[in-house]
Amino acid sequence: IYMAMEYINGISIGKEFRHRKYKPYTVEEMADIILPLLDALETIHANSIVHSDISPGNIIRTDKGDIVLIDMGAAKYALDSQPALSASFLKPEYAAPEQYQTAREGIPKGEGAWTDVYAVGAMMYYLLTGQKPVDVIQRLNSKNTDIAVMEKDNMELPEQWLGLIQEA
């Protein structure tokens, strides 16, 4: 089984970030990435599809400057109780808790639009701080569910952004 997808000419946000030497994006630069991403997610979520693999590597800035969400290889229909094909790709820094259950059991349970929103929040943290968030399993095991400790390495983020990231 294979999936053919359109080739998008551009650079992934992950690669772009590496080229910046992980210099954090400003709030405005991050919003220029996240807002089109949220528009794309709104469309697929309205069709009961969960992307399940939101990360900087799966967002492309085209040569024209447009932001495009790519790689639907892990996408699932949110309403299917047992899909014909269920891929489980975990990127620990961006994976929501329910994705670990899917990976363990092989059947999506409890995944929905909120799964992608979780990954968007983790990605926002990464883009604004230059630090990947601690993966959710480590946080749950330590009983500290905060996405990250902001005092670490003198990272500062306006309170409203930290609140938004925590909410996601």
Side-chain angles (χ1 to χ4, degrees), residues 1-12:
I1 298 175
Y2 66 92
M3 181 183 300
M5 293 181 250
E6 177 185 2
Y7 177 77
I8 306 291
N9 200 23
I11 184 171
S12 75

Side-chain angles (χ1 to χ4, degrees), residues 50-133:
V50 181
H51 186 277
S52 298
D53 194 18
I54 304 294
S55 69
N58 285 338
I59 300 166
I60 300 288
R61 186 184 308 273
T62 69
D63 294 341
K64 294 179 182 178
D66 296 327
I67 298 296
V68 179
L69 175 62
I70 64 165
D71 194 359
M72 298 297 288
K76 301 170 185 72
Y77 283 102
L79 301 177
D80 279 358
S81 58
Q82 191 154 358
L85 176 63
S86 175
S88 184
F89 302 99
L90 292 179
K91 292 181 181 154
E93 297 86 0
Y94 308 104
E98 59 271 17
Q99 289 180 282
Y100 283 88
Q101 183 176 356
T102 295
R104 188 172 46 251
E105 297 178 15
I107 299 171
K109 289 185 180 174
E111 290 186 48
W114 50 88
T115 304
D116 290 339
V117 171
Y118 178 96
V120 170
M123 197 174 77
M124 287 171 57
Y125 174 83
Y126 178 53
L127 296 177
L128 289 171
T129 66
Q131 302 290 318
K132 288 185 179 178

Side-chain angles (χ1 to χ4, degrees), residues 18-76:
R18 280 191 299 280
H19 289 165
R20 292 170 60 110
K21 299 189 181 354
Y22 303 99
K23 177 183 175 243
Y25 287 83
T26 66
V27 169
E28 293 79 14
E29 290 171 327
M30 184 272 310
D32 287 341
I33 296 166
I34 296 299
L35 293 176
L37 170 62
L38 292 174
D39 288 341
L41 288 174
E42 181 178 36
T43 299
I44 68 170
H45 292 163
N47 289 287
S48 301
I49 297 172
V50 181
H51 186 277
S52 298
D53 194 18
I54 304 294
S55 69
N58 285 338
I59 300 166
I60 300 288
R61 186 184 308 273
T62 69
D63 294 341
K64 294 179 182 178
D66 296 327
I67 298 296
V68 179
L69 175 62
I70 64 165
D71 194 359
M72 298 297 288
K76 301 170 185 72

